[in-house]
Amino acid sequence: MTRDVLQAENLPVLEWQLLFSIARFGSCHVAFVTKHTSIDPAHGSRAATALERKGLISRCEDPSNKRRKLLSLTPKGIETVERIWPKAKAVTAQFTNRLSPKDFAELKRLLDLVNGAALPLFNAQEAHAEGTEIETEGVTEQA
């Protein structure tokens, strides 16, 4: 999908994931998206900045929490999702249609496992880059 769909749109996978999530969940903040997806918070924030620069999303103050910004699709963002989504579904279906429902469920389970295992590694890399302390398996270390 990256090669066949997203490259033509000049849209990295992470930006597409965030854009699609906002389309799926409606106006929301980055923390909500990262809590309900496999997107790392730091990477989600960077992707939001990139999408805002491209004019695909906008940020506005959250009336219920002034410290947070709500992310919403712009008209250009809506048009982009509507253009990409059918292509993305078709490319994904080329692979998933070859799997039985049991195999597809197992693939999803394994991908969730891999994503869950990778998140602490991403968090450790981010912390190391920032020079902050991190906790891994009950041990706090200076990154």
Side-chain angles (χ1 to χ4, degrees):
M1 185 176 88
T2 301
R3 184 191 70 236
D4 294 343
V5 179
L6 298 180
Q7 273 185 348
E9 296 285 340
N10 190 29
L11 201 61
V13 172
L14 188 60
E15 290 177 23
W16 165 247
Q17 287 176 314
L18 184 61
L19 191 68
F20 178 75
S21 295
I22 297 167
R24 179 179 164 211
F25 298 128
S27 292
C28 55
H29 45 83
V30 172
F32 178 86
V33 173
T34 60
K35 181 179 177 183
H36 293 89
T37 65
S38 62
I39 298 173
D40 174 74
H43 293 113
S45 181
R46 287 188 196 114
T49 299
L51 290 170
E52 187 175 28
R53 282 188 195 129
K54 292 177 180 180
L56 300 175
I57 66 167
S58 62
R59 296 182 206 227
C60 66
E61 191 173 278
D62 183 345
S64 65
N65 184 340
K66 305 267 186 225
R67 294 174 296 182
R68 290 188 173 169
K69 299 287 184 186
L70 287 174
L71 307 176
S72 301
L73 296 179
T74 63
K76 182 179 177 182
I78 293 168
E79 186 270 325
T80 300
V81 170
E82 289 175 348
R83 184 177 59 251
I84 293 174
W85 178 236
K87 297 173 191 174
K89 275 187 4 181
V91 169
T92 303
Q94 291 175 356
F95 299 101
T96 57
N97 288 346
R98 295 178 182 181
L99 301 174
S100 70
K102 182 180 175 185
D103 288 341
F104 182 75
E106 180 66 5
L107 174 63
K108 184 178 178 334
R109 186 188 73 77
L110 291 171
L111 289 172
D112 288 343
L113 243 157
V114 169
N115 284 333
L119 190 56
L121 298 174
F122 289 128
N123 289 340
Q125 288 173 347
E126 288 292 319
H128 181 73
E130 296 170 5
T132 58
E133 290 186 354
I134 57 171
E135 184 175 324
T136 54
E137 299 182 28
V139 178
T140 302
E141 303 173 3
Q142 179 69 29

